[in-house]
Amino acid sequence: MNLRTWLQNLLPKIIFSPSLLIVLVFIYSFMVWTAILSFTGSTVLPNYQFLGFANYVRLWSLPSWYIALKNLFLYGVCYIGGSLILGTLLAILIDQKIRLEGLFRPIFLYPMALSFMVSGTAWKWFFNPGIGLEKAMQDLGFANFHFDWIINADRAIYIIAIVAVWQSSGFVMAIFLAGIRGISEEVIKAAKIDGANIFQIYWRVILPQMAPALVSAVIILSHLAIKNYDLVIALTNAGPGNATEVPATFMYSYTFARTQMGVGSASAIIMLMTIASILIPYLYSQVREKH
Amino acid sequence: MKKIFQKFILGVLFFPLSALTVKAKGEVEVLHWWTSGGEAAGLAVIKDNVEKKGVTWKDMPIAGGAGTNAMTVLRSRVAAGQPPTAVQLLGFDITDWAKEGVLGDLNVIAKAGNWDTVVPQALQKFAKYEGKWISVPVNVHSTNWVWANKAIFDKLKIGPLKSWADFEKAVNKLKAAGITPIAHGGQPWQDTTVFEAIVLGLDNGVTYKKAFIDLDPAAQTSKEMVKAFERLRFVAQNLDPSFSGRDWNLATSMIINGTAGMQMMGDWAKGEFGKANKVANKDFLCFRFPGTQGLVTFNADQFAMFKVDAEKAEAQKILAEVVMDKAVQAQFNQLKGSVPARMDIGNEGFDACGVKGMKDLKEASQKNTLFGSVAHGYAVPANLKNAIFDAVTAYFNDSAKTAAQGADDLALAIKNAK
């Protein structure tokens, strides 16, 4: 092997190594550090007094942690389910060879480009009963119109899901649209010749072939759901009371505001494990498919 | 214009000289979260006086999160071994940092300045750690105030509110007149600020001290505490519909604009009235929460002094002396709406509420009815404080919860967090 080919072979590795190093240090090493901290009695600053699983025991005895998990479940189901249903419908509608498709696609996709902080703040005002939707409807003469979910401890979590669905369905639409367009025309034509109507074509022919798109969408949406932090902060700041606490806000509050870094780290590790339990089987199946 | 020009010329002429003195005295780096109007104006007084003594002021403002963001920065600085010279801190947070062994020792200056006698005992508990002065208190805020719109109170003929019964009557009168009785922001610390005033007003602070200072579980579920939760429910039922998440200063502006009758808030609210050019006892009223006259729950801003290199120690010493200076404290507190941490300062220049605040503080300190505020980290450490927030705010926002449940949840939350 001469020097030239040797260098050529090496070049991609050289180019990738800095980013690999950065990822190793700033992501994986901090993950390990967090894992270590979760077994220590760290309070204001990290310390290395080993406590075993005490922080985990403590974590699972805290009522607010259960509130956070319950909210994650409710939010996750509504958010993933809502985005998938709405996104698929949008994709099917756009697929009808409509005019100005190039205009509609970005309109539905655009919310995804906003930061959760921006959409959260805007929707917070919209849902605020004193200045937003409720007041507008009452001013229009619908005196009995009430929509105060955002200040209702039992309903506020659904408000967060509604905003998140608004933000993400366009993205699901894009994934599904790409999937639908990827199906060969021949199959659809064959179905038409066999006398299938449009509903049957989508239900029996197109959607069953959408499995890869569905899996990607679910994976992306579920890790977004678990990481959800900024939207909650902007919309309700984990309130009213602590009714919309989610694991991410719980983690921040315990680590940084409540000087219980150990418990905060333990909750971060639980979140990491939840995400890993979704991602690892997926990555594994991807790797196996290729070989 | 001419004056500015003259100053500019003078500045140019004397620049090398001032640069030299700066080099001689060093610099102080001060981390704080005072960025709003009255706070910033107060801080500028300290800054100017420090600079007059030839010390450079390196400002490190970290806004937001009620200090949480600032604490995150402080953590990284301390972990890196480069703490700021001084940090604006509250209550048990100071003790938490002292426990980490990163705070300095101010005993020499403290002795020279006679701090042990001029600072109230209740405050010294936080400004000292294991016999050493570690931080310098600049003010005392009290949290058991009610701020009211005077025009509305006069119109509805609402007299002074001395008891809870008076308070209920006043609320009902306001409601009948179509005015939001209570301006409130639904944030955990604000809910708890109201709650602690209610508990304090139950029985001259006996339950307050037992439940929150001595952390006696029996007091946390006592009949008195249940009564406090009942009263908190009454407050929660007399707010406007969009109170959730509102910032305290927006609630204060409801009083200023006359859309609401009164607000329970610490005396930093006075800064907002000041900014709107409102005058105490003419445009707005300040009085103690019903049943708490003679008692004070306090919240004091302090500058915790971190261990620094010898070369920075001189500048740190100057900063500490400036913060404790009588004239500086008087001027600072007139701007920020609080009262001086030193008890030996005259009340000239303070408005009616300030004069009352100073008198009440002195009285409470002498009668031993000066208690640390739960909502502001002067009664219990951060982990317990937030546990109390959880219980109080969950009750406040859930009208299905009974007062007895509220008290049980409170006791449980405190037990879990210990």
Side-chain angles (χ1 to χ4, degrees), chain A residues 41-45 252-263, chain B residues 71 75 92-93 96-97 381-384 386:
Chain A
S42 300
T43 53
V44 179
L45 286 174
Y252 183 83
S253 140
Y254 272 75
T255 312
F256 298 111
R258 306 191 177 205
T259 66
Q260 297 186 55
M261 202 176 270
V263 177
Chain B
M71 287 307 98
R75 257 186 206 98
F92 276 94
D93 291 345
D96 278 343
W97 285 106
N383 51 343
L384 290 173
N386 283 290

Side-chain angles (χ1 to χ4, degrees), chain A residues 11-280:
Chain A
L11 191 65
K13 291 179 186 122
I14 293 173
I15 290 172
F16 270 115
S17 55
S19 54
L20 184 71
L21 190 74
I22 289 170
V23 169
L24 273 180
V25 171
F26 289 103
I27 298 182
Y28 292 96
S29 79
F30 283 126
M31 277 186 192
V32 173
W33 196 24
T34 307
I36 293 170
L37 285 180
S38 73
F39 292 105
T40 66
S42 300
T43 53
V44 179
L45 286 174
N47 69 41
Y48 298 99
Q49 177 205 357
F50 186 71
L51 290 183
F53 282 93
N55 286 326
Y56 290 90
V57 174
R58 180 80 182 282
L59 178 69
W60 290 101
S61 75
L62 290 167
S64 49
W65 176 242
Y66 287 95
I67 294 177
L69 290 179
K70 189 183 123 212
N71 281 335
L72 176 62
F73 177 77
L74 289 175
Y75 168 79
V77 169
C78 297
Y79 168 60
I80 297 172
S83 302
L84 285 178
I85 293 169
L86 213 62
T88 314
L89 278 176
L90 284 173
I92 291 174
L93 292 177
I94 293 269
D95 189 41
Q96 303 311 308
K97 312 258 175 334
I98 52 164
R99 242 188 290 177
L100 295 178
E101 186 194 317
L103 178 72
F104 284 110
R105 251 185 319 174
I107 285 180
F108 289 122
L109 201 52
Y110 187 67
M112 193 71 186
L114 287 178
S115 111
F116 273 130
M117 227 52 202
V118 174
S119 49
T121 308
W123 283 94
K124 176 169 83 178
W125 292 332
F126 180 74
F127 284 125
N128 183 318
I131 54 172
L133 181 65
E134 180 174 309
K135 176 141 197 317
M137 294 302 275
Q138 287 175 352
D139 288 351
L140 283 174
F142 300 94
N144 289 324
F145 183 87
H146 280 294
F147 190 69
D148 60 351
W149 284 17
I150 198 164
I151 59 162
N152 181 328
D154 295 327
R155 296 269 188 273
I157 189 71
Y158 301 110
I159 288 287
I160 296 175
I162 289 171
V163 177
V165 167
W166 171 81
Q167 185 129 357
S168 300
S169 0
F171 166 71
V172 175
M173 173 203 80
I175 294 182
F176 273 75
L177 196 57
I180 292 173
R181 295 278 157 88
I183 291 168
S184 89
E185 290 281 319
E186 317 284 303
V187 182
I188 296 166
K189 274 184 193 149
K192 274 187 186 151
I193 290 166
D194 284 346
N197 61 29
I198 183 133
F199 176 77
Q200 284 170 325
I201 289 174
Y202 276 105
W203 189 246
R204 300 261 166 123
V205 180
I206 295 180
L207 288 185
Q209 296 187 58
M210 286 290 104
L214 182 72
V215 171
S216 323
V218 169
I219 297 278
I220 291 169
L221 292 177
S222 48
H223 94 266
L224 281 176
I226 295 168
K227 289 196 307 195
N228 180 17
Y229 174 80
D230 33 9
L231 189 59
V232 178
I233 293 297
L235 264 173
T236 60
N237 201 8
N242 46 8
T244 50
E245 189 92 84
V246 291
T249 56
F250 178 96
M251 187 276 293
Y252 183 83
S253 140
Y254 272 75
T255 312
F256 298 111
R258 306 191 177 205
T259 66
Q260 297 186 55
M261 202 176 270
V263 177
S265 305
S267 69
I269 294 297
I270 302 275
M271 280 168 66
L272 177 69
M273 280 164 37
T274 319
I275 293 179
S277 69
I278 296 167
L279 280 183
I280 288 175

Side-chain angles (χ1 to χ4, degrees), chain B residues 106-121 124 128 133 136-137 320-321 324-326 329 341-344:
Chain B
L106 303 171
N107 268 1
V108 181
I109 338 169
K111 208 164 182 200
N114 206 12
W115 295 4
D116 278 310
T117 49
V118 296
V119 175
Q121 283 295 330
Q124 288 189 24
K128 288 166 87 170
W133 279 88
V136 194
E321 280 166 354
M324 267 310 235
D325 185 80
K326 277 189 183 182
Q329 287 217 350
R342 294 180 69 118
M343 306 277 277
D344 57 347

Side-chain angles (χ1 to χ4, degrees), chain B residues 175-225:
Chain B
K175 201 158 54 172
I179 295 164
T180 302
I182 299 164
H184 179 71
Q187 293 172 344
W189 71 267
Q190 294 189 53
D191 300 342
T192 311
T193 301
V194 172
F195 180 66
E196 71 179 22
I198 293 175
V199 176
L200 190 71
L202 288 170
D203 48 7
N204 282 318
V206 177
T207 302
Y208 186 90
K209 180 169 182 297
K210 271 195 208 153
F212 296 137
I213 312 281
D214 307 337
L215 295 174
D216 172 8
Q220 287 153 12
T221 52
S222 65
K223 249 198 293 180
E224 293 294 304
M225 190 60 84

Side-chain angles (χ1 to χ4, degrees), chain B residues 119-369:
Chain B
V119 175
Q121 283 295 330
L123 237 76
Q124 288 189 24
K125 199 179 139 200
F126 298 97
K128 288 166 87 170
Y129 182 72
E130 293 179 340
K132 276 192 290 192
W133 279 88
I134 47 172
S135 84
V136 194
V138 62
N139 66 1
V140 180
H141 280 294
S142 45
T143 61
N144 54 326
W145 282 106
V146 181
W147 307 91
N149 182 305
K150 186 159 187 290
I152 294 176
F153 268 47
D154 286 349
K155 204 178 91 194
L156 299 177
K157 297 198 175 60
I158 299 174
L161 311 183
K162 294 218 181 310
S163 65
W164 179 257
D166 292 347
F167 181 79
E168 277 188 350
K169 257 185 246 160
V171 165
N172 291 332
K173 262 190 196 169
L174 287 162
K175 201 158 54 172
I179 295 164
T180 302
I182 299 164
H184 179 71
Q187 293 172 344
W189 71 267
Q190 294 189 53
D191 300 342
T192 311
T193 301
V194 172
F195 180 66
E196 71 179 22
I198 293 175
V199 176
L200 190 71
L202 288 170
D203 48 7
N204 282 318
V206 177
T207 302
Y208 186 90
K209 180 169 182 297
K210 271 195 208 153
F212 296 137
I213 312 281
D214 307 337
L215 295 174
D216 172 8
Q220 287 153 12
T221 52
S222 65
K223 249 198 293 180
E224 293 294 304
M225 190 60 84
V226 174
K227 199 159 105 192
F229 274 102
E230 279 165 8
R231 290 179 174 182
L232 185 65
R233 177 66 71 225
F234 179 77
V235 170
Q237 283 164 344
N238 285 290
L239 311 174
D240 65 314
S242 41
F243 73 96
S244 256
R246 175 190 286 142
D247 286 323
W248 67 269
N249 50 340
L250 299 181
T252 309
S253 63
M254 291 169 69
I255 307 295
I256 295 172
N257 300 335
T259 53
M262 53 187 164
Q263 180 189 18
M264 280 85 91
M265 185 46 60
D267 43 20
W268 46 92
K270 209 173 68 185
E272 295 296 308
F273 288 104
K275 258 195 286 177
N277 293 322
K278 300 287 175 189
V279 180
N281 279 352
K282 194 173 141 264
D283 303 308
F284 67 96
L285 300 168
C286 55
F287 49 90
R288 293 292 170 183
F289 186 81
T292 66
Q293 181 59 48
L295 301 115
V296 168
T297 38
F298 74 90
N299 166 27
D301 290 303
Q302 311 207 20
F303 287 100
M305 298 293 175
F306 280 71
K307 260 186 206 158
V308 288
D309 306 335
E311 54 185 282
K312 283 187 182 166
E314 179 66 15
Q316 188 179 47
K317 201 183 132 209
I318 291 171
L319 172 66
E321 280 166 354
V322 166
V323 172
M324 267 310 235
D325 185 80
K326 277 189 183 182
V328 170
Q329 287 217 350
Q331 211 186 340
F332 174 93
N333 285 299
Q334 283 159 18
L335 288 166
K336 191 160 185 272
S338 40
V339 305
R342 294 180 69 118
M343 306 277 277
D344 57 347
I345 294 175
N347 60 17
E348 305 83 22
F350 285 85
D351 67 1
C353 298
V355 170
K356 178 171 167 48
M358 289 171 82
K359 193 178 128 271
D360 289 350
L361 177 68
K362 224 168 250 173
E363 184 190 344
S365 184
Q366 275 158 10
K367 288 200 323 197
N368 257 337
T369 50

